[in-house]
Amino acid sequence: DIQMTQSPSSLSASVGDRVTITCRASQSISDFLNWYQQKPGKGPKLLIFAASSLQSGVPSRFSGSGSETDFTLTISNLQPEDFATYYCQQSYSIPFTFGPGTKVDIK
Amino acid sequence: QVQLQESGPGLVKPSQTLSLTCSVSGGSISSADHYWSWVRQPAGKGLEWIGHIYLSGNTNYDPSLKSRVTISINTSNNHFSLRLTSVTAADTAVYYCARVSRTSNHSDYWGQGTLVIVSS
């Protein structure tokens, strides 16, 4: 199985901040990397697919980059509705494993 | 707008079988561009991929669950289902169904999730 790690596991930020979350795969996954946002009591919401493609309807302050084993999710100009937990997922090989998540809360 | 809705018993006894259904509306489960997935989340923990099914009926499962899990699809009723046998307390979780795009295997629509508790 491909192992996914995320850093940091949590962070505190203020509205208007630029936030960067890193995801690393245990082996190359090309660009088969997706990012999801999850709020308490809700199902995950797709933000970014194929490492850098913005899902329709997602604000442009969200962006993704990276390839092979190292990936980044950036939220520029953090908004109140962005406080949530973020998960990366590799969809390169079965099983499609998720990272452990990064919780973004209010400073 | 595609919507997915999980349904099934919220309480299952240990050693019994967990059965859930995901009803798809606003789109066809027979779409050639998508397939259908189950993911679960134990309380306070991260997301765990369970498996998925294609329109053809072909499936892929997480190796750790493979001996106990079956995913099936019903195109007539536009839904797909999850069966997990011999459950234990470790199977207690919120279970989500999702639609997966074939282009890069990303899950673009998710259900709201349903909590299943395994307890006697």
PDB file of all heavy atoms in Angstrom, chain B residues 20-22 24 28-32 34-38 52-59 61 70-83 98-99 102:
ATOM      1  N   LEU B  20     -25.538  -1.532   3.953  1.00  0.00           N
ATOM      2  CA  LEU B  20     -25.902  -0.149   3.646  1.00  0.00           C
ATOM      3  C   LEU B  20     -26.191  -0.003   2.154  1.00  0.00           C
ATOM      4  O   LEU B  20     -25.621  -0.710   1.335  1.00  0.00           O
ATOM      5  CB  LEU B  20     -24.773   0.807   4.030  1.00  0.00           C
ATOM      6  CG  LEU B  20     -24.392   0.890   5.501  1.00  0.00           C
ATOM      7  CD1 LEU B  20     -23.171   1.796   5.671  1.00  0.00           C
ATOM      8  CD2 LEU B  20     -25.554   1.415   6.333  1.00  0.00           C
ATOM      9  N   THR B  21     -27.053   0.947   1.854  1.00  0.00           N
ATOM     10  CA  THR B  21     -27.383   1.270   0.468  1.00  0.00           C
ATOM     11  C   THR B  21     -27.098   2.741   0.217  1.00  0.00           C
ATOM     12  O   THR B  21     -27.319   3.576   1.098  1.00  0.00           O
ATOM     13  CB  THR B  21     -28.859   0.957   0.178  1.00  0.00           C
ATOM     14  OG1 THR B  21     -29.066  -0.457   0.289  1.00  0.00           O
ATOM     15  CG2 THR B  21     -29.261   1.415  -1.211  1.00  0.00           C
ATOM     16  N   CYS B  22     -26.617   3.037  -0.955  1.00  0.00           N
ATOM     17  CA  CYS B  22     -26.395   4.416  -1.384  1.00  0.00           C
ATOM     18  C   CYS B  22     -27.298   4.689  -2.579  1.00  0.00           C
ATOM     19  O   CYS B  22     -27.127   4.095  -3.654  1.00  0.00           O
ATOM     20  CB  CYS B  22     -24.944   4.628  -1.761  1.00  0.00           C
ATOM     21  SG  CYS B  22     -24.560   6.318  -2.286  1.00  0.00           S
ATOM     22  N   VAL B  24     -28.612   7.069  -5.510  1.00  0.00           N
ATOM     23  CA  VAL B  24     -28.082   8.137  -6.345  1.00  0.00           C
ATOM     24  C   VAL B  24     -29.233   8.847  -7.054  1.00  0.00           C
ATOM     25  O   VAL B  24     -30.085   8.195  -7.671  1.00  0.00           O
ATOM     26  CB  VAL B  24     -27.099   7.570  -7.389  1.00  0.00           C
ATOM     27  CG1 VAL B  24     -26.555   8.684  -8.279  1.00  0.00           C
ATOM     28  CG2 VAL B  24     -25.963   6.827  -6.694  1.00  0.00           C
ATOM     29  N   SER B  28     -27.246   9.326 -13.441  1.00  0.00           N
ATOM     30  CA  SER B  28     -27.393   7.885 -13.611  1.00  0.00           C
ATOM     31  C   SER B  28     -26.218   7.113 -13.053  1.00  0.00           C
ATOM     32  O   SER B  28     -25.057   7.469 -13.312  1.00  0.00           O
ATOM     33  CB  SER B  28     -27.558   7.549 -15.096  1.00  0.00           C
ATOM     34  OG  SER B  28     -27.557   6.143 -15.285  1.00  0.00           O
ATOM     35  N   ILE B  29     -26.504   6.055 -12.342  1.00  0.00           N
ATOM     36  CA  ILE B  29     -25.451   5.191 -11.841  1.00  0.00           C
ATOM     37  C   ILE B  29     -24.797   4.430 -12.986  1.00  0.00           C
ATOM     38  O   ILE B  29     -23.736   3.833 -12.819  1.00  0.00           O
ATOM     39  CB  ILE B  29     -26.016   4.232 -10.761  1.00  0.00           C
ATOM     40  CG1 ILE B  29     -24.888   3.749  -9.831  1.00  0.00           C
ATOM     41  CG2 ILE B  29     -26.747   3.064 -11.401  1.00  0.00           C
ATOM     42  CD1 ILE B  29     -25.381   3.063  -8.586  1.00  0.00           C
ATOM     43  N   SER B  30     -25.423   4.469 -14.145  1.00  0.00           N
ATOM     44  CA  SER B  30     -24.892   3.791 -15.335  1.00  0.00           C
ATOM     45  C   SER B  30     -23.954   4.676 -16.146  1.00  0.00           C
ATOM     46  O   SER B  30     -23.572   4.317 -17.262  1.00  0.00           O
ATOM     47  CB  SER B  30     -26.042   3.310 -16.227  1.00  0.00           C
ATOM     48  OG  SER B  30     -26.867   2.405 -15.526  1.00  0.00           O
ATOM     49  N   SER B  31     -23.585   5.817 -15.607  1.00  0.00           N
ATOM     50  CA  SER B  31     -22.664   6.726 -16.291  1.00  0.00           C
ATOM     51  C   SER B  31     -21.365   6.014 -16.652  1.00  0.00           C
ATOM     52  O   SER B  31     -20.755   5.339 -15.812  1.00  0.00           O
ATOM     53  CB  SER B  31     -22.352   7.919 -15.393  1.00  0.00           C
ATOM     54  OG  SER B  31     -21.226   8.627 -15.873  1.00  0.00           O
ATOM     55  N   ALA B  32     -20.933   6.193 -17.887  1.00  0.00           N
ATOM     56  CA  ALA B  32     -19.688   5.559 -18.334  1.00  0.00           C
ATOM     57  C   ALA B  32     -18.458   6.274 -17.783  1.00  0.00           C
ATOM     58  O   ALA B  32     -17.348   5.738 -17.826  1.00  0.00           O
ATOM     59  CB  ALA B  32     -19.642   5.560 -19.863  1.00  0.00           C
ATOM     60  N   HIS B  34     -18.029   7.376 -14.665  1.00  0.00           N
ATOM     61  CA  HIS B  34     -17.887   7.314 -13.212  1.00  0.00           C
ATOM     62  C   HIS B  34     -17.992   5.901 -12.687  1.00  0.00           C
ATOM     63  O   HIS B  34     -18.470   4.992 -13.376  1.00  0.00           O
ATOM     64  CB  HIS B  34     -18.971   8.183 -12.544  1.00  0.00           C
ATOM     65  CG  HIS B  34     -18.942   9.609 -12.971  1.00  0.00           C
ATOM     66  ND1 HIS B  34     -19.755  10.098 -13.976  1.00  0.00           N
ATOM     67  CD2 HIS B  34     -18.187  10.653 -12.539  1.00  0.00           C
ATOM     68  CE1 HIS B  34     -19.498  11.383 -14.149  1.00  0.00           C
ATOM     69  NE2 HIS B  34     -18.551  11.745 -13.298  1.00  0.00           N
ATOM     70  N   TYR B  35     -17.524   5.722 -11.458  1.00  0.00           N
ATOM     71  CA  TYR B  35     -17.792   4.502 -10.719  1.00  0.00           C
ATOM     72  C   TYR B  35     -18.082   4.903  -9.280  1.00  0.00           C
ATOM     73  O   TYR B  35     -18.137   6.095  -8.974  1.00  0.00           O
ATOM     74  CB  TYR B  35     -16.661   3.481 -10.870  1.00  0.00           C
ATOM     75  CG  TYR B  35     -15.274   3.930 -10.476  1.00  0.00           C
ATOM     76  CD1 TYR B  35     -14.751   3.628  -9.226  1.00  0.00           C
ATOM     77  CD2 TYR B  35     -14.454   4.614 -11.382  1.00  0.00           C
ATOM     78  CE1 TYR B  35     -13.467   3.993  -8.865  1.00  0.00           C
ATOM     79  CE2 TYR B  35     -13.172   4.990 -11.036  1.00  0.00           C
ATOM     80  CZ  TYR B  35     -12.675   4.677  -9.779  1.00  0.00           C
ATOM     81  OH  TYR B  35     -11.394   5.062  -9.422  1.00  0.00           O
ATOM     82  N   TRP B  36     -18.292   3.926  -8.383  1.00  0.00           N
ATOM     83  CA  TRP B  36     -18.947   4.210  -7.109  1.00  0.00           C
ATOM     84  C   TRP B  36     -18.191   3.584  -5.937  1.00  0.00           C
ATOM     85  O   TRP B  36     -17.755   2.435  -6.009  1.00  0.00           O
ATOM     86  CB  TRP B  36     -20.390   3.702  -7.189  1.00  0.00           C
ATOM     87  CG  TRP B  36     -21.039   4.248  -8.421  1.00  0.00           C
ATOM     88  CD1 TRP B  36     -21.075   3.668  -9.661  1.00  0.00           C
ATOM     89  CD2 TRP B  36     -21.648   5.528  -8.564  1.00  0.00           C
ATOM     90  NE1 TRP B  36     -21.682   4.519 -10.568  1.00  0.00           N
ATOM     91  CE2 TRP B  36     -22.051   5.656  -9.920  1.00  0.00           C
ATOM     92  CE3 TRP B  36     -21.923   6.579  -7.675  1.00  0.00           C
ATOM     93  CZ2 TRP B  36     -22.701   6.793 -10.395  1.00  0.00           C
ATOM     94  CZ3 TRP B  36     -22.571   7.710  -8.157  1.00  0.00           C
ATOM     95  CH2 TRP B  36     -22.955   7.809  -9.500  1.00  0.00           C
ATOM     96  N   SER B  37     -18.077   4.361  -4.872  1.00  0.00           N
ATOM     97  CA  SER B  37     -17.131   4.025  -3.818  1.00  0.00           C
ATOM     98  C   SER B  37     -17.754   4.110  -2.427  1.00  0.00           C
ATOM     99  O   SER B  37     -18.741   4.820  -2.212  1.00  0.00           O
ATOM    100  CB  SER B  37     -15.952   5.009  -3.897  1.00  0.00           C
ATOM    101  OG  SER B  37     -15.039   4.821  -2.846  1.00  0.00           O
ATOM    102  N   TRP B  38     -17.147   3.387  -1.480  1.00  0.00           N
ATOM    103  CA  TRP B  38     -17.474   3.501  -0.058  1.00  0.00           C
ATOM    104  C   TRP B  38     -16.207   3.865   0.716  1.00  0.00           C
ATOM    105  O   TRP B  38     -15.137   3.307   0.475  1.00  0.00           O
ATOM    106  CB  TRP B  38     -18.031   2.189   0.484  1.00  0.00           C
ATOM    107  CG  TRP B  38     -19.419   1.869   0.031  1.00  0.00           C
ATOM    108  CD1 TRP B  38     -19.783   1.070  -1.006  1.00  0.00           C
ATOM    109  CD2 TRP B  38     -20.647   2.364   0.601  1.00  0.00           C
ATOM    110  NE1 TRP B  38     -21.152   1.027  -1.128  1.00  0.00           N
ATOM    111  CE2 TRP B  38     -21.706   1.809  -0.154  1.00  0.00           C
ATOM    112  CE3 TRP B  38     -20.951   3.203   1.684  1.00  0.00           C
ATOM    113  CZ2 TRP B  38     -23.057   2.079   0.135  1.00  0.00           C
ATOM    114  CZ3 TRP B  38     -22.283   3.472   1.964  1.00  0.00           C
ATOM    115  CH2 TRP B  38     -23.316   2.905   1.192  1.00  0.00           C
ATOM    116  N   HIS B  52     -14.551   0.050  -4.213  1.00  0.00           N
ATOM    117  CA  HIS B  52     -15.421   0.646  -5.205  1.00  0.00           C
ATOM    118  C   HIS B  52     -15.894  -0.388  -6.213  1.00  0.00           C
ATOM    119  O   HIS B  52     -15.373  -1.513  -6.250  1.00  0.00           O
ATOM    120  CB  HIS B  52     -14.726   1.830  -5.910  1.00  0.00           C
ATOM    121  CG  HIS B  52     -13.441   1.493  -6.597  1.00  0.00           C
ATOM    122  ND1 HIS B  52     -12.275   2.205  -6.377  1.00  0.00           N
ATOM    123  CD2 HIS B  52     -13.116   0.567  -7.532  1.00  0.00           C
ATOM    124  CE1 HIS B  52     -11.308   1.728  -7.116  1.00  0.00           C
ATOM    125  NE2 HIS B  52     -11.790   0.712  -7.830  1.00  0.00           N
ATOM    126  N   ILE B  53     -16.903   0.029  -6.994  1.00  0.00           N
ATOM    127  CA  ILE B  53     -17.496  -0.866  -7.980  1.00  0.00           C
ATOM    128  C   ILE B  53     -17.713  -0.103  -9.280  1.00  0.00           C
ATOM    129  O   ILE B  53     -18.074   1.071  -9.277  1.00  0.00           O
ATOM    130  CB  ILE B  53     -18.822  -1.470  -7.464  1.00  0.00           C
ATOM    131  CG1 ILE B  53     -19.337  -2.541  -8.430  1.00  0.00           C
ATOM    132  CG2 ILE B  53     -19.886  -0.392  -7.224  1.00  0.00           C
ATOM    133  CD1 ILE B  53     -20.427  -3.426  -7.834  1.00  0.00           C
ATOM    134  N   TYR B  54     -17.456  -0.800 -10.379  1.00  0.00           N
ATOM    135  CA  TYR B  54     -17.696  -0.249 -11.702  1.00  0.00           C
ATOM    136  C   TYR B  54     -19.068  -0.701 -12.213  1.00  0.00           C
ATOM    137  O   TYR B  54     -19.635  -1.667 -11.698  1.00  0.00           O
ATOM    138  CB  TYR B  54     -16.602  -0.715 -12.663  1.00  0.00           C
ATOM    139  CG  TYR B  54     -15.212  -0.252 -12.276  1.00  0.00           C
ATOM    140  CD1 TYR B  54     -14.415  -1.003 -11.418  1.00  0.00           C
ATOM    141  CD2 TYR B  54     -14.709   0.951 -12.763  1.00  0.00           C
ATOM    142  CE1 TYR B  54     -13.144  -0.579 -11.066  1.00  0.00           C
ATOM    143  CE2 TYR B  54     -13.441   1.381 -12.411  1.00  0.00           C
ATOM    144  CZ  TYR B  54     -12.663   0.609 -11.562  1.00  0.00           C
ATOM    145  OH  TYR B  54     -11.403   1.042 -11.208  1.00  0.00           O
ATOM    146  N   LEU B  55     -19.541  -0.052 -13.249  1.00  0.00           N
ATOM    147  CA  LEU B  55     -20.811  -0.426 -13.848  1.00  0.00           C
ATOM    148  C   LEU B  55     -20.799  -1.901 -14.279  1.00  0.00           C
ATOM    149  O   LEU B  55     -21.806  -2.605 -14.202  1.00  0.00           O
ATOM    150  CB  LEU B  55     -21.109   0.477 -15.040  1.00  0.00           C
ATOM    151  CG  LEU B  55     -22.367   0.181 -15.848  1.00  0.00           C
ATOM    152  CD1 LEU B  55     -23.589   0.299 -14.960  1.00  0.00           C
ATOM    153  CD2 LEU B  55     -22.472   1.129 -17.045  1.00  0.00           C
ATOM    154  N   SER B  56     -19.642  -2.375 -14.679  1.00  0.00           N
ATOM    155  CA  SER B  56     -19.506  -3.764 -15.123  1.00  0.00           C
ATOM    156  C   SER B  56     -19.726  -4.761 -13.991  1.00  0.00           C
ATOM    157  O   SER B  56     -19.929  -5.956 -14.223  1.00  0.00           O
ATOM    158  CB  SER B  56     -18.100  -3.984 -15.691  1.00  0.00           C
ATOM    159  OG  SER B  56     -17.131  -3.794 -14.662  1.00  0.00           O
ATOM    160  N   GLY B  57     -19.636  -4.241 -12.758  1.00  0.00           N
ATOM    161  CA  GLY B  57     -19.730  -5.118 -11.594  1.00  0.00           C
ATOM    162  C   GLY B  57     -18.369  -5.472 -11.026  1.00  0.00           C
ATOM    163  O   GLY B  57     -18.283  -6.068  -9.952  1.00  0.00           O
ATOM    164  N   ASN B  58     -17.311  -5.117 -11.743  1.00  0.00           N
ATOM    165  CA  ASN B  58     -15.962  -5.345 -11.222  1.00  0.00           C
ATOM    166  C   ASN B  58     -15.740  -4.487  -9.978  1.00  0.00           C
ATOM    167  O   ASN B  58     -16.218  -3.360  -9.899  1.00  0.00           O
ATOM    168  CB  ASN B  58     -14.916  -5.002 -12.267  1.00  0.00           C
ATOM    169  CG  ASN B  58     -14.879  -6.015 -13.398  1.00  0.00           C
ATOM    170  OD1 ASN B  58     -15.361  -7.134 -13.256  1.00  0.00           O
ATOM    171  ND2 ASN B  58     -14.319  -5.622 -14.529  1.00  0.00           N
ATOM    172  N   THR B  59     -15.016  -5.034  -9.035  1.00  0.00           N
ATOM    173  CA  THR B  59     -14.793  -4.357  -7.769  1.00  0.00           C
ATOM    174  C   THR B  59     -13.324  -4.350  -7.383  1.00  0.00           C
ATOM    175  O   THR B  59     -12.524  -5.165  -7.858  1.00  0.00           O
ATOM    176  CB  THR B  59     -15.562  -5.057  -6.638  1.00  0.00           C
ATOM    177  OG1 THR B  59     -15.220  -6.451  -6.637  1.00  0.00           O
ATOM    178  CG2 THR B  59     -17.068  -4.900  -6.804  1.00  0.00           C
ATOM    179  N   TYR B  61     -11.225  -3.789  -3.494  1.00  0.00           N
ATOM    180  CA  TYR B  61     -11.437  -3.628  -2.067  1.00  0.00           C
ATOM    181  C   TYR B  61     -10.113  -3.390  -1.352  1.00  0.00           C
ATOM    182  O   TYR B  61      -9.051  -3.806  -1.808  1.00  0.00           O
ATOM    183  CB  TYR B  61     -12.078  -4.886  -1.471  1.00  0.00           C
ATOM    184  CG  TYR B  61     -13.414  -5.268  -2.058  1.00  0.00           C
ATOM    185  CD1 TYR B  61     -13.644  -6.563  -2.526  1.00  0.00           C
ATOM    186  CD2 TYR B  61     -14.456  -4.346  -2.133  1.00  0.00           C
ATOM    187  CE1 TYR B  61     -14.875  -6.936  -3.040  1.00  0.00           C
ATOM    188  CE2 TYR B  61     -15.684  -4.705  -2.667  1.00  0.00           C
ATOM    189  CZ  TYR B  61     -15.888  -6.000  -3.120  1.00  0.00           C
ATOM    190  OH  TYR B  61     -17.103  -6.355  -3.646  1.00  0.00           O
ATOM    191  N   THR B  70     -18.384  -6.838   0.487  1.00  0.00           N
ATOM    192  CA  THR B  70     -18.944  -6.989  -0.852  1.00  0.00           C
ATOM    193  C   THR B  70     -19.645  -5.704  -1.227  1.00  0.00           C
ATOM    194  O   THR B  70     -20.455  -5.185  -0.451  1.00  0.00           O
ATOM    195  CB  THR B  70     -19.962  -8.145  -0.914  1.00  0.00           C
ATOM    196  OG1 THR B  70     -19.343  -9.360  -0.495  1.00  0.00           O
ATOM    197  CG2 THR B  70     -20.491  -8.311  -2.336  1.00  0.00           C
ATOM    198  N   ILE B  71     -19.308  -5.165  -2.383  1.00  0.00           N
ATOM    199  CA  ILE B  71     -20.018  -4.007  -2.929  1.00  0.00           C
ATOM    200  C   ILE B  71     -20.748  -4.476  -4.178  1.00  0.00           C
ATOM    201  O   ILE B  71     -20.172  -5.188  -5.016  1.00  0.00           O
ATOM    202  CB  ILE B  71     -19.052  -2.854  -3.260  1.00  0.00           C
ATOM    203  CG1 ILE B  71     -18.350  -2.369  -1.983  1.00  0.00           C
ATOM    204  CG2 ILE B  71     -19.813  -1.695  -3.908  1.00  0.00           C
ATOM    205  CD1 ILE B  71     -17.285  -1.299  -2.225  1.00  0.00           C
ATOM    206  N   SER B  72     -22.007  -4.099  -4.289  1.00  0.00           N
ATOM    207  CA  SER B  72     -22.817  -4.486  -5.439  1.00  0.00           C
ATOM    208  C   SER B  72     -23.510  -3.261  -6.015  1.00  0.00           C
ATOM    209  O   SER B  72     -23.613  -2.218  -5.345  1.00  0.00           O
ATOM    210  CB  SER B  72     -23.850  -5.541  -5.040  1.00  0.00           C
ATOM    211  OG  SER B  72     -24.673  -5.052  -3.995  1.00  0.00           O
ATOM    212  N   ILE B  73     -23.983  -3.391  -7.241  1.00  0.00           N
ATOM    213  CA  ILE B  73     -24.617  -2.261  -7.924  1.00  0.00           C
ATOM    214  C   ILE B  73     -25.949  -2.704  -8.502  1.00  0.00           C
ATOM    215  O   ILE B  73     -26.085  -3.857  -8.979  1.00  0.00           O
ATOM    216  CB  ILE B  73     -23.680  -1.695  -9.018  1.00  0.00           C
ATOM    217  CG1 ILE B  73     -24.191  -0.369  -9.560  1.00  0.00           C
ATOM    218  CG2 ILE B  73     -23.432  -2.717 -10.126  1.00  0.00           C
ATOM    219  CD1 ILE B  73     -23.158   0.396 -10.389  1.00  0.00           C
ATOM    220  N   ASN B  74     -26.943  -1.823  -8.441  1.00  0.00           N
ATOM    221  CA  ASN B  74     -28.282  -2.092  -8.959  1.00  0.00           C
ATOM    222  C   ASN B  74     -28.662  -0.941  -9.885  1.00  0.00           C
ATOM    223  O   ASN B  74     -29.056   0.133  -9.424  1.00  0.00           O
ATOM    224  CB  ASN B  74     -29.272  -2.216  -7.800  1.00  0.00           C
ATOM    225  CG  ASN B  74     -30.663  -2.601  -8.250  1.00  0.00           C
ATOM    226  OD1 ASN B  74     -31.141  -2.162  -9.293  1.00  0.00           O
ATOM    227  ND2 ASN B  74     -31.338  -3.418  -7.471  1.00  0.00           N
ATOM    228  N   THR B  75     -28.513  -1.172 -11.174  1.00  0.00           N
ATOM    229  CA  THR B  75     -28.772  -0.089 -12.131  1.00  0.00           C
ATOM    230  C   THR B  75     -30.263   0.189 -12.273  1.00  0.00           C
ATOM    231  O   THR B  75     -30.656   1.319 -12.571  1.00  0.00           O
ATOM    232  CB  THR B  75     -28.178  -0.433 -13.504  1.00  0.00           C
ATOM    233  OG1 THR B  75     -28.693  -1.704 -13.932  1.00  0.00           O
ATOM    234  CG2 THR B  75     -26.661  -0.502 -13.428  1.00  0.00           C
ATOM    235  N   SER B  76     -31.096  -0.798 -12.031  1.00  0.00           N
ATOM    236  CA  SER B  76     -32.541  -0.595 -12.155  1.00  0.00           C
ATOM    237  C   SER B  76     -33.044   0.417 -11.143  1.00  0.00           C
ATOM    238  O   SER B  76     -33.916   1.232 -11.434  1.00  0.00           O
ATOM    239  CB  SER B  76     -33.284  -1.917 -11.967  1.00  0.00           C
ATOM    240  OG  SER B  76     -32.893  -2.847 -12.945  1.00  0.00           O
ATOM    241  N   ASN B  77     -32.506   0.340  -9.934  1.00  0.00           N
ATOM    242  CA  ASN B  77     -32.939   1.224  -8.859  1.00  0.00           C
ATOM    243  C   ASN B  77     -31.977   2.383  -8.605  1.00  0.00           C
ATOM    244  O   ASN B  77     -32.160   3.156  -7.666  1.00  0.00           O
ATOM    245  CB  ASN B  77     -33.122   0.432  -7.568  1.00  0.00           C
ATOM    246  CG  ASN B  77     -34.275  -0.551  -7.666  1.00  0.00           C
ATOM    247  OD1 ASN B  77     -35.235  -0.298  -8.383  1.00  0.00           O
ATOM    248  ND2 ASN B  77     -34.177  -1.660  -6.954  1.00  0.00           N
ATOM    249  N   ASN B  78     -30.941   2.474  -9.444  1.00  0.00           N
ATOM    250  CA  ASN B  78     -29.963   3.564  -9.329  1.00  0.00           C
ATOM    251  C   ASN B  78     -29.333   3.625  -7.937  1.00  0.00           C
ATOM    252  O   ASN B  78     -29.214   4.705  -7.337  1.00  0.00           O
ATOM    253  CB  ASN B  78     -30.598   4.929  -9.683  1.00  0.00           C
ATOM    254  CG  ASN B  78     -29.682   5.761 -10.552  1.00  0.00           C
ATOM    255  OD1 ASN B  78     -29.049   5.260 -11.477  1.00  0.00           O
ATOM    256  ND2 ASN B  78     -29.612   7.050 -10.272  1.00  0.00           N
ATOM    257  N   HIS B  79     -28.920   2.481  -7.431  1.00  0.00           N
ATOM    258  CA  HIS B  79     -28.232   2.497  -6.156  1.00  0.00           C
ATOM    259  C   HIS B  79     -27.137   1.428  -6.125  1.00  0.00           C
ATOM    260  O   HIS B  79     -27.083   0.534  -6.981  1.00  0.00           O
ATOM    261  CB  HIS B  79     -29.213   2.332  -4.980  1.00  0.00           C
ATOM    262  CG  HIS B  79     -29.807   0.973  -4.816  1.00  0.00           C
ATOM    263  ND1 HIS B  79     -31.164   0.740  -4.754  1.00  0.00           N
ATOM    264  CD2 HIS B  79     -29.247  -0.246  -4.641  1.00  0.00           C
ATOM    265  CE1 HIS B  79     -31.397  -0.528  -4.578  1.00  0.00           C
ATOM    266  NE2 HIS B  79     -30.251  -1.167  -4.505  1.00  0.00           N
ATOM    267  N   PHE B  80     -26.263   1.563  -5.155  1.00  0.00           N
ATOM    268  CA  PHE B  80     -25.252   0.542  -4.922  1.00  0.00           C
ATOM    269  C   PHE B  80     -25.165   0.285  -3.428  1.00  0.00           C
ATOM    270  O   PHE B  80     -25.657   1.073  -2.621  1.00  0.00           O
ATOM    271  CB  PHE B  80     -23.888   0.916  -5.533  1.00  0.00           C
ATOM    272  CG  PHE B  80     -23.226   2.149  -4.965  1.00  0.00           C
ATOM    273  CD1 PHE B  80     -22.114   2.050  -4.144  1.00  0.00           C
ATOM    274  CD2 PHE B  80     -23.672   3.416  -5.299  1.00  0.00           C
ATOM    275  CE1 PHE B  80     -21.467   3.178  -3.650  1.00  0.00           C
ATOM    276  CE2 PHE B  80     -23.054   4.556  -4.801  1.00  0.00           C
ATOM    277  CZ  PHE B  80     -21.946   4.441  -3.965  1.00  0.00           C
ATOM    278  N   SER B  81     -24.592  -0.843  -3.069  1.00  0.00           N
ATOM    279  CA  SER B  81     -24.689  -1.309  -1.694  1.00  0.00           C
ATOM    280  C   SER B  81     -23.354  -1.806  -1.153  1.00  0.00           C
ATOM    281  O   SER B  81     -22.447  -2.160  -1.909  1.00  0.00           O
ATOM    282  CB  SER B  81     -25.719  -2.441  -1.595  1.00  0.00           C
ATOM    283  OG  SER B  81     -26.998  -2.004  -2.026  1.00  0.00           O
ATOM    284  N   LEU B  82     -23.295  -1.827   0.170  1.00  0.00           N
ATOM    285  CA  LEU B  82     -22.130  -2.320   0.904  1.00  0.00           C
ATOM    286  C   LEU B  82     -22.584  -3.389   1.883  1.00  0.00           C
ATOM    287  O   LEU B  82     -23.570  -3.203   2.598  1.00  0.00           O
ATOM    288  CB  LEU B  82     -21.476  -1.159   1.673  1.00  0.00           C
ATOM    289  CG  LEU B  82     -20.365  -1.544   2.660  1.00  0.00           C
ATOM    290  CD1 LEU B  82     -19.119  -1.972   1.904  1.00  0.00           C
ATOM    291  CD2 LEU B  82     -20.051  -0.381   3.595  1.00  0.00           C
ATOM    292  N   ARG B  83     -21.893  -4.507   1.896  1.00  0.00           N
ATOM    293  CA  ARG B  83     -22.080  -5.543   2.919  1.00  0.00           C
ATOM    294  C   ARG B  83     -20.746  -5.816   3.578  1.00  0.00           C
ATOM    295  O   ARG B  83     -19.737  -6.009   2.884  1.00  0.00           O
ATOM    296  CB  ARG B  83     -22.630  -6.846   2.327  1.00  0.00           C
ATOM    297  CG  ARG B  83     -24.072  -6.811   1.930  1.00  0.00           C
ATOM    298  CD  ARG B  83     -24.528  -8.182   1.440  1.00  0.00           C
ATOM    299  NE  ARG B  83     -24.766  -9.132   2.540  1.00  0.00           N
ATOM    300  CZ  ARG B  83     -24.038 -10.204   2.763  1.00  0.00           C
ATOM    301  NH1 ARG B  83     -22.986 -10.493   2.005  1.00  0.00           N
ATOM    302  NH2 ARG B  83     -24.341 -11.030   3.742  1.00  0.00           N
ATOM    303  N   ALA B  98     -19.659   7.596  -2.335  1.00  0.00           N
ATOM    304  CA  ALA B  98     -19.161   8.675  -3.180  1.00  0.00           C
ATOM    305  C   ALA B  98     -19.159   8.248  -4.636  1.00  0.00           C
ATOM    306  O   ALA B  98     -19.064   7.060  -4.956  1.00  0.00           O
ATOM    307  CB  ALA B  98     -17.739   9.071  -2.752  1.00  0.00           C
ATOM    308  N   ARG B  99     -19.244   9.244  -5.520  1.00  0.00           N
ATOM    309  CA  ARG B  99     -19.083   9.020  -6.948  1.00  0.00           C
ATOM    310  C   ARG B  99     -17.634   9.317  -7.309  1.00  0.00           C
ATOM    311  O   ARG B  99     -17.063  10.308  -6.852  1.00  0.00           O
ATOM    312  CB  ARG B  99     -20.012   9.938  -7.744  1.00  0.00           C
ATOM    313  CG  ARG B  99     -20.025   9.635  -9.233  1.00  0.00           C
ATOM    314  CD  ARG B  99     -20.914  10.588  -9.999  1.00  0.00           C
ATOM    315  NE  ARG B  99     -20.242  11.857 -10.300  1.00  0.00           N
ATOM    316  CZ  ARG B  99     -20.698  12.745 -11.173  1.00  0.00           C
ATOM    317  NH1 ARG B  99     -21.839  12.511 -11.817  1.00  0.00           N
ATOM    318  NH2 ARG B  99     -20.040  13.876 -11.394  1.00  0.00           N
ATOM    319  N   ARG B 102     -13.693   8.773 -13.519  1.00  0.00           N
ATOM    320  CA  ARG B 102     -12.690   7.904 -14.137  1.00  0.00           C
ATOM    321  C   ARG B 102     -11.451   8.670 -14.583  1.00  0.00           C
ATOM    322  O   ARG B 102     -10.390   8.081 -14.775  1.00  0.00           O
ATOM    323  CB  ARG B 102     -13.296   7.199 -15.357  1.00  0.00           C
ATOM    324  CG  ARG B 102     -14.176   6.020 -15.022  1.00  0.00           C
ATOM    325  CD  ARG B 102     -14.646   5.343 -16.305  1.00  0.00           C
ATOM    326  NE  ARG B 102     -15.401   4.125 -16.056  1.00  0.00           N
ATOM    327  CZ  ARG B 102     -14.878   2.910 -16.037  1.00  0.00           C
ATOM    328  NH1 ARG B 102     -13.581   2.759 -16.234  1.00  0.00           N
ATOM    329  NH2 ARG B 102     -15.631   1.855 -15.825  1.00  0.00           N
TER     330      ARG B 102
END
